[in-house]
Amino acid sequence: MKTAIMTVGNELVTGRIRDKNAAVIAKGIHAQGWQVIAVVSVGDNKQDMAWALNGLLSRADAVIVTGGLGPTADDVTTAAVAEILGLPLYRDEAVLRRIMDLFAARGLKWTENNAKQAYFPAGARIIPNPVGTADGFALRHGEGLIVVIPGVPSEAARMFAEGVLPLLRETFPGRAKAVASRTFKLFGLPEAAVDEALSGLDPAGRGVEIGFYPEFPENHLVVTARADDAAEASRRLEETCREVETRLRRYIFAYDEDTLEGVVSSLLMERGLTLAVAESCTGGLITDRLTDVPGSSAFLIQGIVAYSNRAKMALLGVPEEVLLAHGAVSDQTAVLMARGVRAAAGTDLGLSVTGIAGPTGGSEEKPVGTVYMALADNERSLCRRYRFRWNRRRNKIISSQAALILLKDYLMGE
Amino acid sequence: MKTAIMTVGNELVTGRIRDKNAAVIAKGIHAQGWQVIAVVSVGDNKQDMAWALNGLLSRADAVIVTGGLGPTADDVTTAAVAEILGLPLYRDEAVLRRIMDLFAARGLKWTENNAKQAYFPAGARIIPNPVGTADGFALRHGEGLIVVIPGVPSEAARMFAEGVLPLLRETFPGRAKAVASRTFKLFGLPEAAVDEALSGLDPAGRGVEIGFYPEFPENHLVVTARADDAAEASRRLEETCREVETRLRRYIFAYDEDTLEGVVSSLLMERGLTLAVAESCTGGLITDRLTDVPGSSAFLIQGIVAYSNRAKMALLGVPEEVLLAHGAVSDQTAVLMARGVRAAAGTDLGLSVTGIAGPTGGSEEKPVGTVYMALADNERSLCRRYRFRWNRRRNKIISSQAALILLKDYLMGE
């Protein structure tokens, strides 16, 4: 089934706020296996609404409209929809009573303009608002359906789930497809290389869809399978996912809602290992990410942001000679930082990062973006060198990512 | 002038992500005194793009398109625009060289499909991408203009400001009014209270517009003045800004592009003071923010993420008795952490945060969201207690904000 979304409000076309409703509604529709062919945002004026609504009605089975149902003069959605469909407005006495009762219950002073929210186009089916005063409504239009709900995100989300989705299923029986989907989160392979790795996979032929979503410094790959029944959808999904898995295994660090910090945290907790982190150029970003995971205090004993050489010596025991001979940004320093923080904290593992985030501080031999990271356990230490080429913030982010990947690889014995 | 925005990407019509670009572009256009008649989002398919683009071209002088310029098979915007306008594609050798050089510079493996980003519709004017590989382009269409830029928000925002806006002004001379604007960045006052503080200001009467943009945990207030000449615009701006300044001074921490960490860093550098930070619940977020500022190594000597009591004792010298008597989340502990990290690092100032980010760990007396922060210099220490009511991540963010505000207030002698 083809659907479309129209969000109404001057604040949307002046950039005053970012539309919250479209994404929530589109997600809910997509989950049904239905399609959203377009999302259109227009201001609170009848001409633009007429243009958008007529255009969408000509291509979609159902159009969901949000916004412009308030009591004030600038809210004209109901009147506009009535005009566009050539329907008169009527006042719904039951709705009017409900609104007046709500005002009384909330101790609000009743003003006549609020009665406006009790008017609907003739033939409208009311969609009750369980939270506020603005009820929504639905109208058949030929074979199609128009649904109008308020723009207040909390009201729109609830009314869409409780009122609109059931109505759509009822109005278009048998149109809902079964949907199964999985997200692969990748690091270390540019988008085009991912594409290359998947060449010849023929998603269409397998009845699946594959979407790429670069989310620096990660690439997310979403496989979505639609079918008439759930069993077939998940069969198609699994078949394609096995293939994706084989082709990209090395680069996959998480699935679906999992995050890299979450995966690393789970591995540490499963294995009952404790961690200490010594950061230079990442400035605390690694421990910030790890402490976003509830319960991380179970394994994260301490973090040291050793931004100065003084701190590297005093807190991590990196000998001055090493700093002088090899520099603060070197594999020797990285390894000694990892060992030092591990020893100081008495943890099973020590993780360290030292590098040049930029924009200045680079040299011929060690240009901006040069980063060393090391991991130390009771016996050995691993060290990796990278050369990143982004701005300061992005160099920090990708360095924290690479360091957590080093830790993950170690924990998974890779 | 009438403009329209078309954002392209399956992720937008499946609700996987919320569109970031439309609001930024609409805001920029609105600031010029131009109108956005509609924002349309469609998936990565030519039919929907053709329908949307033709519809918008029939009603707008200029259409700005974002997204679908990537190298992968699902990116079809350039090809779609060429088809819709009946133009052949050509390969721009200069652009191709630039992309290949960028790959080389970033040490990425070149794959043939990347050449796709060097193809443009005949007659296109290239809009350079200062950050990534996907250049944008512009095409005249009758009296109108079509502009296409990438969907990656960081690239879209920059290319819109540096490439698209100047091009629009040049293409539609005389359509732009003189515009002057200032952003006030506020912390500590809810939206409704800001509204109240500004009541009776009558922006319209002063020929200005005041926009409100909540950006957790900050509130941004944008005053925009439009007039026929620059002098009048800036006169109106200054007049209103003086008024805003008087009414909200206490809550303003930065202007325009400045950030809180940037303001604090400048104050520390001006005064030649050094800083050490001890973080518990913020987990390194404070030093992460400070180290986003180039040159922060000049004042930030070290940070300690003392997530465990062990670390609070060993690294910050907080006596076990205090932890037992008052708890790790207490003003006593916060103050001792600030003094401890200052002493250990030998800095002028010590800043500390300790609290309960949640979701668990709260108690009757100290519920989730209870946070203490302290600042110590050579004589005294200041301590503030907060009770935040957000989720774990947001509690961390707003705690780091409040701690940096404490530091700023101290440095400004407030």
Side-chain angles (χ1 to χ4, degrees):
Chain A
M1 171 164 84
K2 289 186 169 185
T3 72
I5 302 168
M6 176 167 97
T7 60
V8 179
N10 290 334
E11 68 277 17
L12 302 175
V13 290
T14 57
R16 197 181 161 295
I17 68 161
R18 222 192 280 160
D19 183 14
K20 288 197 187 66
N21 296 328
V24 173
I25 294 171
K27 200 170 185 171
I29 286 178
H30 186 67
Q32 300 292 316
W34 297 328
Q35 195 193 345
V36 174
I37 58 166
V39 178
V40 180
S41 302
V42 292
D44 296 292
N45 77 77
K46 292 179 178 178
Q47 297 72 11
D48 293 339
M49 271 189 248
W51 167 77
L53 191 57
N54 285 320
L56 296 174
L57 284 170
S58 68
R59 303 186 64 240
D61 303 304
V63 179
I64 294 125
V65 181
T66 71
L69 296 188
T72 54
D74 60 344
D75 294 301
V76 296
T77 301
T78 302
V81 170
E83 274 182 43
I84 293 159
L85 303 182
L87 299 167
L89 290 172
Y90 77 97
R91 189 168 85 177
D92 188 299
E93 299 307 326
V95 171
L96 180 61
R97 265 194 309 282
R98 192 185 72 79
I99 301 174
M100 292 177 112
D101 293 349
L102 202 55
F103 265 71
R106 292 182 180 172
L108 300 173
K109 182 168 165 301
W110 175 263
T111 50
E112 255 322 302
N113 57 346
N114 290 290
K116 185 180 167 194
Q117 295 185 309
Y119 283 81
F120 300 92
R125 167 164 167 174
I126 310 285
I127 299 173
N129 184 332
V131 206
T133 55
D135 284 341
F137 62 91
L139 284 162
R140 291 308 306 251
H141 177 68
E143 289 306 295
L145 183 75
I146 302 165
V147 183
V148 182
I149 56 177
V152 181
S154 56
E155 300 179 11
R158 224 175 125 179
M159 290 170 75
F160 174 72
E162 297 172 10
V164 179
L165 269 183
L167 178 61
L168 289 172
R169 284 200 219 87
E170 172 195 323
T171 313
F172 304 94
R175 295 283 196 89
K177 282 194 155 226
V179 179
S181 120
R182 182 167 307 143
T183 300
F184 295 87
K185 297 185 176 177
L186 310 163
F187 178 70
L189 201 59
E191 183 173 356
V194 176
D195 199 42
E196 185 111 335
L198 296 178
S199 61
L201 193 60
D202 182 25
R206 299 160 170 269
V208 301
E209 218 179 73
I210 299 186
F212 285 93
Y213 305 94
E215 305 209 349
F216 185 86
E218 309 174 357
N219 273 318
H220 294 185
L221 201 67
V222 182
V223 181
T224 308
R226 289 196 192 74
D228 294 333
D229 61 274
E232 174 60 10
S234 75
R235 191 195 62 71
R236 290 181 185 176
L237 180 70
E238 291 314 322
E239 182 192 71
T240 304
C241 287
R242 268 195 303 278
E243 193 57 34
V244 170
E245 194 78 38
T246 352
R247 297 184 181 207
L248 293 167
R249 178 169 288 111
R250 286 191 49 228
Y251 304 97
I252 301 168
F253 64 83
Y255 301 87
D256 299 326
E257 298 311 311
D258 292 344
T259 62
L260 178 54
E261 44 271 39
V263 167
V264 168
S265 300
S266 310
L267 288 168
L268 286 165
M269 292 193 245
E270 280 164 23
R271 290 160 176 58
L273 296 171
T274 55
L275 174 72
V277 183
E279 304 184 59
S280 182
C281 64
T282 47
L285 181 53
I286 294 174
T287 50
D288 175 40
R289 290 179 64 172
L290 288 170
T291 55
D292 279 348
V293 182
S296 44
S297 48
F299 61 84
L300 183 65
I301 304 308
Q302 70 187 46
I304 303 282
V305 179
Y307 221 54
S308 61
N309 279 346
R310 197 161 101 210
K312 291 184 182 75
M313 294 185 279
L315 296 169
L316 304 171
V318 180
E320 185 157 27
E321 315 79 72
V322 174
L323 292 169
L324 293 173
H326 306 282
V329 177
S330 62
D331 49 3
Q332 293 88 344
T333 300
V335 167
L336 289 170
M337 285 170 68
R339 289 193 188 142
V341 77
R342 176 181 176 275
T347 50
D348 300 305
L349 303 173
L351 179 66
S352 75
V353 178
T354 179
I356 305 152
T360 59
S363 70
E364 183 76 9
E365 178 209 358
K366 291 172 189 173
V368 165
T370 302
V371 180
Y372 294 86
M373 48 204 64
L375 179 75
D377 64 14
N378 58 337
E379 306 168 327
R380 62 202 183 108
S381 41
L382 310 164
C383 184
R384 290 179 184 172
R385 177 199 168 120
Y386 290 87
R387 166 76 201 282
F388 299 120
R389 297 157 198 267
W390 305 93
N391 63 25
R392 183 179 177 91
R393 179 63 191 168
R394 286 193 157 201
N395 280 338
K396 285 179 65 181
I397 294 172
I398 198 168
S399 297
S400 74
Q401 187 84 1
L404 290 172
I405 289 282
L406 168 62
L407 177 53
K408 174 185 154 292
D409 291 347
Y410 169 89
L411 292 167
M412 302 191 42
E414 284 165 6
Chain B
M1 174 164 78
K2 288 187 168 184
T3 71
I5 301 168
M6 177 167 97
T7 60
V8 179
N10 290 333
E11 68 277 18
L12 302 174
V13 289
T14 57
R16 234 187 129 269
I17 66 162
R18 214 193 288 162
D19 184 12
K20 289 198 187 67
N21 296 329
V24 173
I25 294 171
K27 194 173 172 180
I29 287 178
H30 185 65
Q32 300 293 315
W34 299 329
Q35 192 194 348
V36 175
I37 58 166
V39 178
V40 180
S41 303
V42 292
D44 296 292
N45 78 77
K46 293 179 178 176
Q47 297 73 10
D48 294 339
M49 271 188 248
W51 167 77
L53 190 57
N54 285 321
L56 296 174
L57 285 171
S58 68
R59 304 187 62 240
D61 303 304
V63 178
I64 294 123
V65 181
T66 70
L69 296 188
T72 57
D74 60 346
D75 295 302
V76 295
T77 301
T78 301
V81 170
E83 274 182 45
I84 293 160
L85 303 183
L87 299 167
L89 289 172
Y90 76 96
R91 188 168 85 178
D92 188 298
E93 299 307 325
V95 170
L96 181 62
R97 265 194 307 284
R98 193 186 71 80
I99 301 175
M100 293 177 111
D101 292 348
L102 204 55
F103 264 70
R106 291 185 177 168
L108 301 174
K109 181 170 159 298
W110 174 264
T111 52
E112 253 323 301
N113 52 355
N114 289 291
K116 184 178 167 194
Q117 296 185 307
Y119 283 83
F120 300 92
R125 167 165 165 175
I126 309 286
I127 299 173
N129 183 333
V131 207
T133 55
D135 283 342
F137 62 90
L139 284 163
R140 290 308 305 252
H141 176 68
E143 289 306 294
L145 183 75
I146 301 165
V147 184
V148 182
I149 55 177
V152 180
S154 57
E155 299 179 9
R158 214 170 136 184
M159 290 171 74
F160 175 72
E162 296 172 12
V164 179
L165 271 183
L167 178 60
L168 288 171
R169 285 199 217 89
E170 172 194 322
T171 312
F172 303 96
R175 299 280 196 90
K177 284 192 147 216
V179 177
S181 123
R182 182 167 309 142
T183 300
F184 295 87
K185 296 185 175 177
L186 312 164
F187 178 71
L189 202 60
E191 177 167 3
V194 176
D195 215 36
E196 183 118 357
L198 296 178
S199 63
L201 193 61
D202 182 24
R206 300 160 170 270
V208 302
E209 215 176 71
I210 300 186
F212 193 82
Y213 306 90
E215 307 219 348
F216 185 87
E218 309 174 357
N219 280 320
H220 295 183
L221 205 64
V222 182
V223 180
T224 307
R226 291 194 200 78
D228 293 331
D229 63 275
E232 174 58 13
S234 77
R235 191 196 62 73
R236 292 179 184 176
L237 179 71
E238 291 314 322
E239 183 192 68
T240 304
C241 286
R242 269 194 303 277
E243 192 57 33
V244 171
E245 193 76 38
T246 355
R247 297 184 181 209
L248 293 167
R249 178 170 289 111
R250 287 193 48 231
Y251 304 96
I252 301 168
F253 64 82
Y255 300 88
D256 297 327
E257 297 313 309
D258 292 344
T259 62
L260 178 55
E261 44 272 39
V263 167
V264 168
S265 300
S266 309
L267 289 167
L268 285 165
M269 290 193 248
E270 281 164 23
R271 290 158 175 61
L273 296 171
T274 55
L275 174 73
V277 183
E279 304 184 58
S280 182
C281 65
T282 47
L285 181 54
I286 294 174
T287 50
D288 175 40
R289 291 178 64 172
L290 288 171
T291 55
D292 279 348
V293 182
S296 44
S297 50
F299 62 84
L300 182 65
I301 303 308
Q302 70 187 45
I304 303 282
V305 179
Y307 221 55
S308 61
N309 279 347
R310 195 162 102 213
K312 291 184 181 73
M313 294 185 280
L315 295 169
L316 304 171
V318 180
E320 186 158 27
E321 312 81 69
V322 175
L323 292 169
L324 293 172
H326 306 282
V329 178
S330 62
D331 49 3
Q332 294 87 347
T333 300
V335 168
L336 289 170
M337 285 170 68
R339 289 192 189 143
V341 77
R342 176 180 176 277
T347 50
D348 301 306
L349 303 173
L351 179 67
S352 75
V353 177
T354 179
I356 305 151
T360 60
S363 70
E364 182 79 5
E365 177 208 0
K366 290 172 188 170
V368 166
T370 303
V371 180
Y372 294 86
M373 49 205 64
L375 180 75
D377 63 15
N378 58 336
E379 307 167 331
R380 62 205 183 109
S381 40
L382 310 164
C383 184
R384 289 178 184 172
R385 177 198 168 121
Y386 290 86
R387 166 75 202 281
F388 300 120
R389 294 156 195 278
W390 304 94
N391 63 23
R392 182 179 178 90
R393 179 64 191 168
R394 287 193 154 200
N395 280 337
K396 285 178 64 180
I397 293 172
I398 198 167
S399 298
S400 73
Q401 187 84 2
L404 290 172
I405 289 282
L406 168 62
L407 177 54
K408 172 185 154 293
D409 291 348
Y410 168 89
L411 292 168
M412 299 190 41
E414 285 165 5

